[in-house]
Amino acid sequence: MALLALGVGLPVALGISWTYELTPEGLKRDSAVPLSASHRHDNAHRLNVITLVVAVLAILTVALDRFLPAGGADRPVAANATDAGESTDDASAPIATDVAARPATGIAVLPFTNMSSDSEQDFFSDGVTEEVLNLLANVDGLRVTSRTSSFSFKGQAIDLPTIARRLGVSHVVEAACARLGIACA
C-alpha cells in the first residue's frame, strides 16, 4: 500500500515542483516569479547540503556496522571441558563452549537407559531419546546439545553437574525407558 502511495505521489510531487516555486510569500507559479526575485539557487543549495549530510550519515552507519566488532566478540568461544582434578590425557573428552558465554537456556538430553530385560531393545530407548531431542530442538529460544555430544556419555558413570559443565548447558535430562509390550514406561 505504501509503495502504491509513493508511486502515485512521486509524479504529482515532481509536477508541482516543476510548476511552482516556494517563495517567502508561499507557492507561486514559476512564470509569476521574476528571475531576479527567485530563490531557486538558495533552495537548491540547502537541498544539496541536506542530501550530503544524509549520505555521509548513511555511509558512516554502514562503515561502523561492518568494521566495529559485535558486542561480546572478545569473549572466549571454546574452553577445555576437563577439570583440574581430572586427567587431561582423555582425547575423547567433549569440548564445549564456556558456560558463562552461552545462554542459560541450554539443555542436554542424555541417552535413556534401557530398563528392559532384553538388551536388544537399546535401539528403542535411543529412538525415544532422539524423539525427545527433536521435539526440544523445535522450541524457540532453547539451545539443545547435539545427539553426538549427548550420546558420548552413554554408559559412563559421570555425575550430572560434570556433564552439564562439559556440554555447556544449565539443564540435563536423564531418564530410563522400558518397553512393556507396545507401551513405554
Side-chain angles (χ1 to χ4, degrees):
M1 186 60 145
L3 288 176
L4 179 66
L6 286 174
V8 171
L10 180 65
V12 172
L14 286 176
I16 290 173
S17 68
W18 283 330
T19 309
Y20 294 95
E21 183 174 342
L22 182 61
T23 65
E25 294 86 30
L27 281 178
K28 292 189 177 181
R29 286 193 62 91
D30 276 345
S31 57
V33 178
L35 209 49
S36 61
S38 178
H39 292 281
R40 280 186 192 170
H41 180 67
D42 296 334
N43 290 342
H45 181 69
R46 271 189 235 125
L47 186 59
N48 287 343
V49 169
I50 290 171
T51 303
L52 284 174
V53 168
V54 169
V56 167
L57 289 175
I59 290 170
L60 282 174
T61 302
V62 170
L64 290 175
D65 182 52
R66 292 198 184 255
F67 297 119
L68 286 181
D74 57 335
R75 290 188 295 185
V77 176
N80 194 347
T82 59
D83 288 331
E86 297 177 0
S87 83
T88 57
D89 59 352
D90 185 12
S92 67
I95 295 178
T97 54
D98 191 6
V99 177
R102 297 185 104 175
T105 55
I107 189 167
V109 180
L110 296 180
F112 288 6
T113 305
N114 179 16
M115 299 299 285
S116 301
S117 57
D118 186 7
S119 63
E120 296 288 320
Q121 296 297 320
D122 276 343
F123 73 91
F124 177 73
S125 59
D126 290 348
V128 172
T129 304
E130 288 185 29
E131 282 302 312
V132 170
L133 276 167
N134 291 337
L135 290 172
L136 289 174
N138 291 325
V139 175
D140 287 335
L142 184 64
R143 185 181 51 81
V144 181
T145 304
S146 72
R147 177 195 184 281
T148 305
S149 298
S150 295
F151 273 67
S152 68
F153 294 99
K154 186 173 185 175
Q156 297 183 17
I158 302 174
D159 61 309
L160 291 180
T162 302
I163 292 173
R165 188 172 49 257
R166 286 185 180 179
L167 294 176
V169 296
S170 57
H171 298 59
V172 177
V173 176
E174 180 183 42
C177 189
R179 188 168 183 176
L180 305 172
I182 59 169
C184 181

